[in-house]
Amino acid sequence: MPDPAAAILEWRHGLADLERIVAHGRDRLLADTTASVRRASTRRRLEHLRNGLGAQLEQIQSVFRGAGLESRARPPAEAGAPAVGDTTLSYFHQIHRDWGWPDAEIEAAAIAIAEVCGKDPLGKTLFLGAGAARLVRELHLRQGASATIALDINPLPFLVARKILDGETVRLTEIPNSPRSIDDVAVERTLGEGLEAVANVTLVFGDAFSPPVARGAFDTVVTAWFVDQVAPDAAELAPLVHALLRENGTWINHGPFVYPAARPVRARYTADELSEIARDSGFDLDSTDIRRLTFMESPACNQGRTERILTFAARKVALAAREETPSAEPAWLSDTSAPIPRLEAFRARPLPHPFFTAVVALVDGARSIDAIAAEISRQQRIPEDALRVAIRACLADLAREGSA
Ligand SMILES: C[S@@+](CC[C@H](N)C(=O)[O-])C[C@H]1O[C@@H](n2cnc3c(N)ncnc32)[C@H](O)[C@@H]1O
């Protein structure tokens, strides 16, 4: 984490926010129950929810306490109205999905991944944004990881996962937003029941976009339900994954294309764009799969959804092989002293900018990029070096559009 002390303080503040919100919510439920509710079943539902909220908070406090984290109120100036779900409870339902619900969703994900992976063991494996880490466990055990490091920045899922990976169980109450029945308004579960401890899985609080691990050290990097929801731009994540892998290492990606509202449209890639980004970033897509899977369907909740999921295993291509690939760039672009041919593409109208017009007007079949730079520099007193870069970019653009 860039600033570990600040992160820990924020987790403690988040816990204090939650304590405040739960206390307020429980008071309101009590007031509702005593004031206006006559129906016995409704009273029972409200009481069950009130007790469930209290139990859930105590269980979360206990997990935090086990990690040496006590709540701490924010300084008065910062204490606005915090949104539950943004901090302590973010990805809370994933904890239940991973370790408490029937295994169907995890099983389906593990199978889809196994099918693209083939038989080779995963070896040294890095998970980016591992969440509650059930998939970490399953891939580590089933796909032959020799050692796994998982990164995340969110405290509660990792603190619970650490206990379960060590062979303990954790009591935790789920509060579904659309319960199926009165009993389902708060469902206390023993998470991780029947699962044995797993060796060689290390959970690290660390930023996936600035990962505290050696580059070129991993046989496998896994991104699951991560690229769309978390990475600001997959086109920037792919080179990072490439750098983390050893030569011929494998990037396993599994997830849908459900972007948060704030993601700019240009970075809301589709499945075919993500595959292309992987190829452009130095990967061969050995195996891809698209299937529709159930997502976040709690046995206690009326809601749940299905998602169309892309799973791929992409192999980091040997750099030497890439370097041997002949450049698609025309000679007159790479050699700035070579004459530029009068291509059809340069006659395109309208041109996007007056600078393009000025450059194209000087393309006569004899002039080179250097010669055009010298001419414009003489006319407009702009340094030739800067012009050369701009002219090259402008002609490359036109040539690319002309050949598209
Ligand atoms: C949609 S969840 C997926 C979790 C998990 N991969 C799974 O399969 O269930 C995205 C995860 O990324 C984590 N995350 C968000 N930003 C992160 C960052 N900068 N570094 C590491 N993890 C991050 C979140 O805390 C969350 O656990």
Side-chain angles (χ1 to χ4, degrees):
M1 309 285 276
D3 185 344
I8 288 172
L9 184 60
E10 183 48 41
W11 297 347
R12 295 177 62 195
H13 285 335
L15 185 57
D17 294 342
L18 183 66
E19 287 167 350
R20 204 155 57 86
I21 288 162
V22 169
H24 181 63
R26 294 188 76 227
D27 286 350
R28 274 190 27 204
L29 281 168
L30 184 63
D32 264 13
T33 317
T34 47
S36 54
V37 176
R38 298 279 167 267
R39 190 187 305 280
S41 55
T42 306
R43 291 178 75 87
R44 187 161 80 78
R45 175 166 59 79
L46 296 180
E47 273 162 24
H48 187 37
L49 178 57
R50 187 165 183 274
N51 293 339
L53 282 167
Q56 186 194 58
L57 178 62
E58 278 172 26
Q59 291 151 354
I60 292 171
Q61 286 166 323
S62 158
V63 171
F64 271 68
R65 216 175 299 119
L69 296 164
E70 297 285 350
S71 70
R72 180 162 167 182
R74 290 181 192 279
E78 287 178 31
V84 180
D86 285 345
T87 55
T88 311
L89 292 188
S90 61
Y91 297 107
F92 184 78
H93 291 277
Q94 262 92 335
I95 305 176
H96 283 269
R97 190 259 330 254
D98 281 13
W99 306 108
W101 299 350
D103 285 344
E105 290 185 25
I106 291 295
E107 198 58 34
I111 288 170
I113 292 173
E115 283 178 17
V116 298
C117 276
K119 292 199 169 37
D120 287 346
L122 297 189
K124 277 193 247 168
T125 301
L126 178 70
F127 268 78
L128 303 180
R134 178 63 185 271
L135 205 53
V136 172
R137 179 187 194 275
E138 296 313 313
L139 296 192
H140 181 85
L141 292 176
R142 298 181 196 196
Q143 301 296 132
S146 52
T148 298
I149 294 179
L151 300 178
D152 208 294
I153 54 172
N154 187 12
L156 189 59
F158 254 18
L159 295 178
V160 171
R162 181 67 274 160
K163 283 173 175 287
I164 296 172
L165 291 168
D166 287 342
E168 296 176 38
T169 57
V170 178
R171 295 288 289 169
L172 205 55
T173 298
E174 179 189 355
I175 307 218
N177 58 12
S178 168
R180 292 186 187 183
S181 68
I182 294 173
D183 286 343
D184 286 332
V185 298
V187 183
E188 188 168 333
R189 296 202 174 83
T190 303
L191 305 181
E193 215 161 25
L195 298 176
E196 285 176 10
V198 182
N200 290 331
V201 175
T202 308
L203 306 183
V204 179
F205 286 117
D207 185 357
F209 303 105
S210 177
V213 292
R215 302 306 188 254
F218 292 90
D219 301 305
T220 307
V221 172
V222 185
T223 50
W225 288 292
F226 182 77
V227 168
D228 57 340
Q229 278 293 306
V230 184
D233 190 332
E236 284 163 29
L237 177 69
L240 173 63
V241 174
H242 195 270
L244 291 164
L245 287 165
R246 64 157 170 81
E247 216 95 312
N248 290 319
T250 304
W251 174 16
I252 296 173
N253 178 64
H254 175 84
F257 297 85
V258 180
Y259 293 97
R263 187 67 48 79
V265 176
R266 65 169 169 72
R268 292 168 174 257
Y269 302 113
T270 56
D272 36 4
E273 285 172 284
L274 182 62
S275 302
E276 189 179 304
I277 285 168
R279 283 192 204 95
D280 289 349
S281 306
F283 290 95
D284 278 349
L285 261 64
D286 286 347
S287 181
T288 64
D289 172 272
I290 291 200
R291 64 183 69 181
R292 187 164 278 281
L293 296 177
T294 303
F295 182 71
M296 298 305 292
E297 195 174 282
S298 165
C301 186
N302 294 308
Q303 283 185 308
R305 60 183 200 241
T306 66
E307 288 180 339
R308 197 165 163 272
I309 304 267
L310 169 71
T311 311
F312 65 63
R315 197 164 31 82
K316 175 171 172 171
V317 179
L319 287 178
R322 284 273 154 159
E323 272 154 20
E324 281 161 18
T325 310
S327 155
E329 201 170 79
W332 54 267
L333 261 181
S334 359
D335 175 1
T336 56
S337 65
I340 306 163
R342 304 174 72 152
L343 297 180
E344 192 57 36
F346 300 155
R347 282 193 261 276
R349 291 291 182 276
L351 291 166
H353 189 272
F355 181 72
F356 278 63
T357 316
V359 171
V360 167
L362 291 169
V363 175
D364 59 0
R367 283 196 186 93
S368 63
I369 289 176
D370 289 343
I372 293 178
E375 183 60 30
I376 298 180
S377 168
R378 200 178 51 74
Q379 293 167 7
Q380 303 194 12
R381 298 175 186 280
I382 302 173
E384 270 184 51
D385 280 352
L387 277 169
R388 208 170 284 119
V389 175
I391 293 164
R392 204 174 168 286
C394 139
L395 293 174
D397 238 38
L398 290 175
R400 204 171 26 246
E401 270 173 29
S403 64

